Amino acid sequence: MSKDKENIIFLLKRLWLHISKKRHTQLSILFILMVFSSIAEIVSIGSVIPFLGILTSPEQFFNNDSLQPAINFFNFKSADEVIWPLTLLFISATIFAGGIRLFLVFVSTKLSFATGHDLSIDVYNRTLYQPFHVHIDRNSSEIVNGVATKTDLVIFNIILPFLNFLSSMVMVFLITVALIVLNPLVALSVIGGIGCIYLLLIKLSTFKLLGNSQKIADKSTVRIKSLQEGIGGIRDILLSGTQEIYCNLYKEADRPLRRAQANNAFISLSPRYAMEALGMILIASVAFYFTVIDTTVESIIPLLGALALGAQRMLPMLQLAYAGWSTILGGKASLVDILEFLDQKIPQSNDEVEINFDHEISFKDITFRYQEDQMNILENINIDIPKGSCVGFIGKTGSGKSTMLDILMGLLLPTSGELIVDGKTVLPDNLRSWQKNISHVPQDIFLSDNTIIENIAFGIPFDQIDIDRVHEAVSIAQLSDVINDLPKKYDTLVGERGVRLSGGQKQRIGIARSLYSNSKIMILDEATSALDEITERKVIDEISKTSSDITLFMIAHRTSTLKNCDFIVELADKGINRILDYKEL
Ligand code: ATP
Ligand code: MG
């Protein structure tokens, strides 16, 4: 797969391009802070040399030629007088360096999560703007996982580790420079030795990390899918007692996921103890070497102190850099997935090419299939529908009724042929302005877990709801009695997906919602199938009576539903079989 071939640096660059200008600036400032913090750290490490020097051999220190200008400047009279200020200097340098470090951690954590927030919004937003055909080809678990889990993974596996990696590398670099100044041979052998071992570790673990990263990305989607399906089909699970089967499905996804996560965590954390021990052994060896070749112990203690302190700071930094890098590799596959979401284009609509439906809708030679390699579902459909008419659709199940209306709504674009409204072809350019004219009531209406009134005035902020219009819609949809019988009337919560309502009540809320939206075109796709015939009659009569200039499209299996239609289209064999009126039915 191409996924594996993509270089991680290249992927990080692509991610960078999706991060906003503002965050770019903040991240750049963060980098400056990293450099600054590292310098402070070096100063605090460096201040150990005079400090240890004066403790071990005060006279030698006091008489040191290169320090005379400073000693004269502060007017120190003896070595004892210098001890106090030096101690103070050492302590304050250490506290200052620690403080900056803490601030750095604070800022980088905040910034990582804020960037993660931006990315997850961006993923969701771009996904919502994708055309309908993209959504029907995709499993919703992928999206839920992309927005919720994988952006988390990007924070914890990419952004935070990357910042850690960067700040530790800056630190390592500066400590290396400082130690080289102190004693090039010792510094290079200690740092080079440890560095080589980490490079070797990266080389050895990369393959394993990438394999696990793919597992984490794939199995986390499977896990959400199994959750959604289990909870979604709870009625059947309870009836058939198949809890164990569903739990096993979940287990099969969760086990490899956790195992891969654990393996990656182990790979990034494990070298730490070995490396710390190794570092100390190296320093001990250097000390031993000096005692063998050199004269006085006093003269090398400051150097050894600085080295020990340097190594003591540097080892965790190297470990942090290594852990950062291996964590990034372990999140690579999720990063690839997130980037795919982030690369989704938001279709641009052109506001100048308005479609204001005033006259006629025409299907012109429309042919449609869902996938390239699939058979045609509809072939050469030609029909003109004047504004204000009521059109019925009948035909066997699977004959393409819903598909035809999805094309009418511009949710699906014809494979060939054109949908023409008032002489203008419906194209991605003017799609939005066409769709603004339409409201659609499917057989299985989506209700949000809110109050009845919020479900009728759907998506409208509570304080902007027009109560009179809600009442009118409710009365046409024959819902007044139902709502009046509820304890909290319009403020009754309908439950998730409307579980607290009957099928027919849900359908009528869908109709009321569509009426509230005041659209020029109303599409009822078996939207009254759950109502008894008398209620259905009343609803449809009321709709036809109150909204005479609405263009109404109705799909029904029950012919009596279509009594008010001006004409009825019968679909069969991928095309329009005949157009007839109600009496002919
Ligand atoms: P019903 O009366 O059962 O609602 P319908 O007339 O509305 O049926 P459509 O839903 O339009 O039928 O489906 C027409 C054909 O298109 C069916 O054969 C169906 O299998 C196929 N089809 C529907 N949706 C898809 C899809 N997303 N991908 C591929 N084929 C599809
Ligand atoms: Mg259908």
Side-chain angles (χ1 to χ4, degrees):
M1 270 211 295
S2 68
K3 271 186 184 182
D4 292 337
K5 288 202 193 102
E6 285 190 66
N7 185 304
I8 186 77
I9 308 275
F10 175 69
L11 293 175
L12 289 174
K13 266 192 211 152
R14 270 174 65 194
L15 183 68
W16 176 255
L17 293 179
H18 284 288
I19 294 173
S20 69
K21 287 253 152 48
K22 185 176 138 204
R23 299 276 178 240
H24 283 174
T25 316
Q26 291 173 333
L27 287 164
S28 312
I29 295 174
L30 183 70
F31 183 73
I32 297 171
L33 190 66
M34 283 174 188
V35 175
F36 194 62
S37 151
S38 302
I39 292 173
E41 200 102 346
I42 300 291
V43 170
S44 97
I45 296 172
S47 70
V48 85
I49 300 177
F51 182 60
L52 287 181
I54 196 141
L55 286 184
T56 46
S57 48
E59 291 315 317
Q60 196 181 339
F61 180 87
F62 192 72
N63 296 325
N64 189 321
D65 287 344
S66 57
L67 293 175
Q68 290 315 311
I71 288 171
N72 290 334
F73 180 79
F74 288 106
N75 202 13
F76 291 125
K77 296 277 180 308
S78 71
D80 286 350
E81 270 180 46
V82 191
I83 293 185
W84 249 111
L86 266 184
T87 312
L88 213 63
L89 180 76
F90 177 66
I91 291 176
S92 26
T94 310
I95 293 177
F96 182 67
I100 292 196
R101 194 96 209 140
L102 191 67
F103 183 62
L104 184 66
V105 171
F106 174 76
V107 175
S108 55
T109 314
K110 282 265 186 198
L111 197 51
S112 307
F113 280 81
T115 310
H117 163 74
D118 294 350
L119 292 175
S120 102
I121 298 285
D122 202 15
V123 167
Y124 188 42
N125 186 44
R126 284 174 188 276
T127 305
L128 286 179
Y129 272 105
Q130 290 314 296
F132 188 63
H133 69 88
V134 173
H135 288 276
I136 54 179
D137 286 345
R138 195 139 76 182
N139 190 299
S140 69
S141 319
E142 250 177 78
I143 294 157
V144 172
N145 197 22
V147 177
T149 326
K150 283 190 183 155
T151 39
D152 275 4
L153 278 176
V154 167
I155 298 176
F156 289 110
N157 284 33
I158 309 290
I159 304 176
L160 264 179
F162 184 73
L163 293 181
N164 282 342
F165 174 79
L166 210 60
S167 78
S168 12
M169 284 320 271
V170 171
M171 186 72 203
V172 167
F173 175 75
L174 289 178
I175 296 182
T176 308
V177 171
L179 292 183
I180 286 178
V181 169
L182 214 57
N183 188 325
L185 185 71
V186 176
L188 283 179
S189 52
V190 173
I191 296 161
I194 297 174
C196 281
I197 296 176
Y198 270 117
L199 281 181
L200 186 72
L201 279 176
I202 288 181
K203 195 107 193 99
L204 289 178
S205 56
T206 299
F207 182 72
K208 190 85 191 147
L209 285 167
L210 289 181
N212 286 335
S213 99
Q214 194 61 52
K215 252 185 225 156
I216 293 171
D218 295 346
K219 293 295 173 186
S220 64
T221 303
V222 178
R223 189 174 64 162
I224 292 202
K225 185 159 168 265
S226 83
L227 265 183
Q228 281 185 334
E229 285 172 359
I231 303 301
I234 191 66
R235 196 194 299 265
D236 297 316
I237 293 178
L238 287 174
L239 284 176
S240 54
T242 44
Q243 286 89 343
E244 210 171 311
I245 296 176
Y246 277 85
C247 204
N248 275 334
L249 280 178
Y250 180 81
K251 198 161 93 184
E252 292 309 321
D254 195 59
R255 191 168 40 199
L257 171 68
R258 306 274 186 202
R259 210 173 270 166
Q261 285 173 329
N263 283 343
N264 278 4
F266 179 72
I267 291 176
S268 29
L269 297 179
S270 52
R272 181 176 154 196
Y273 304 101
M275 294 313 272
E276 276 175 14
L278 197 78
M280 286 307 146
I281 292 172
L282 276 172
I283 288 167
S285 322
V286 170
F288 180 72
Y289 170 76
F290 272 116
T291 42
V292 170
I293 63 151
D294 219 282
T295 43
T296 54
V297 177
E298 287 82 24
S299 64
I300 56 156
I301 280 189
L303 173 65
L304 278 182
L307 243 180
L309 206 59
Q312 191 249 352
R313 290 284 160 91
M314 184 141 94
L315 281 169
M317 288 297 147
L318 272 175
Q319 169 60 29
L320 203 61
Y322 164 79
W325 190 248
S326 54
T327 309
I328 291 174
L329 283 182
K332 186 184 165 194
S334 299
L335 177 61
V336 171
D337 290 347
I338 280 284
L339 283 171
E340 233 161 74
F341 280 116
L342 287 171
D343 284 345
Q344 297 177 116
K345 293 255 176 322
I346 295 183
Q348 294 298 322
S349 64
N350 186 346
D351 289 339
E352 281 166 24
V353 272
E354 285 278 326
I355 292 190
N356 254 328
F357 175 47
D358 288 315
H359 307 289
E360 192 181 56
I361 306 167
S362 313
F363 281 67
K364 200 164 158 242
D365 277 331
I366 287 188
T367 294
F368 180 82
R369 57 176 169 270
Y370 279 94
Q371 267 100 29
E372 259 323 297
D373 51 358
Q374 199 199 24
M375 301 189 309
N376 287 339
I377 303 289
L378 295 169
E379 263 171 21
N380 302 319
I381 303 284
N382 282 294
I383 188 172
D384 299 328
I385 300 144
K387 188 184 181 193
S389 34
C390 172
V391 191
F393 285 84
I394 56 171
K396 277 204 215 111
T397 168
S399 57
K401 304 180 292 295
S402 300
T403 306
M404 186 162 165
L405 291 186
D406 279 341
I407 293 173
L408 177 93
M409 290 184 269
L411 290 175
L412 300 172
L413 291 177
T415 311
S416 68
E418 287 172 291
L419 175 71
I420 299 173
V421 179
D422 287 2
K424 289 178 191 152
T425 306
V426 176
L427 293 168
D429 251 7
N430 51 24
L431 194 57
R432 272 311 302 143
S433 93
W434 165 233
Q435 286 171 336
K436 278 181 197 156
N437 296 300
I438 307 172
S439 69
H440 173 240
V441 193
Q443 182 177 15
D444 181 18
I445 179 85
F446 175 83
L447 295 189
S448 64
D449 190 0
N450 271 323
T451 59
I452 289 190
I453 191 160
E454 286 165 300
N455 268 294
I456 292 173
F458 194 63
I460 294 172
F462 197 77
D463 51 351
Q464 288 170 29
I465 295 177
D466 180 345
I467 303 290
D468 292 337
R469 228 162 86 197
V470 172
H471 285 302
E472 195 187 340
V474 161
S475 134
I476 298 172
Q478 307 298 305
L479 266 175
S480 309
D481 292 346
V482 177
I483 293 177
N484 280 330
D485 283 347
L486 292 168
K488 287 188 164 172
K489 315 270 190 254
Y490 282 93
D491 296 328
T492 310
L493 288 167
V494 301
E496 190 179 349
R497 293 188 162 263
V499 282
R500 294 193 207 125
L501 298 174
S502 78
Q505 288 164 347
K506 273 192 268 187
Q507 285 196 333
R508 278 176 288 167
I509 289 193
I511 292 170
R513 177 191 292 174
S514 164
L515 288 165
Y516 180 89
S517 72
N518 235 343
S519 313
K520 291 181 182 170
I521 298 166
M522 196 168 158
I523 295 178
L524 305 179
D525 189 345
E526 287 170 54
T528 51
S529 60
L531 304 184
D532 60 86
E533 271 185 67
I534 299 173
T535 314
E536 180 184 51
R537 191 71 271 139
K538 277 192 202 157
V539 172
I540 292 170
D541 283 348
E542 281 294 314
I543 294 176
S544 320
K545 205 162 67 194
T546 33
S547 29
S548 55
D549 59 343
I550 275 193
T551 311
L552 197 60
F553 293 87
M554 283 199 276
I555 297 180
H557 283 139
R558 199 156 54 188
T559 45
S560 62
T561 311
L562 306 177
K563 201 167 159 190
N564 298 29
C565 289
D566 301 319
F567 57 95
I568 293 163
V569 177
E570 185 186 47
L571 291 183
D573 298 327
K574 303 174 184 174
I576 296 176
N577 193 30
R578 48 189 181 149
I579 297 179
L580 60 177
D581 64 25
Y582 183 68
K583 282 193 210 80
E584 293 171 79
L585 262 182

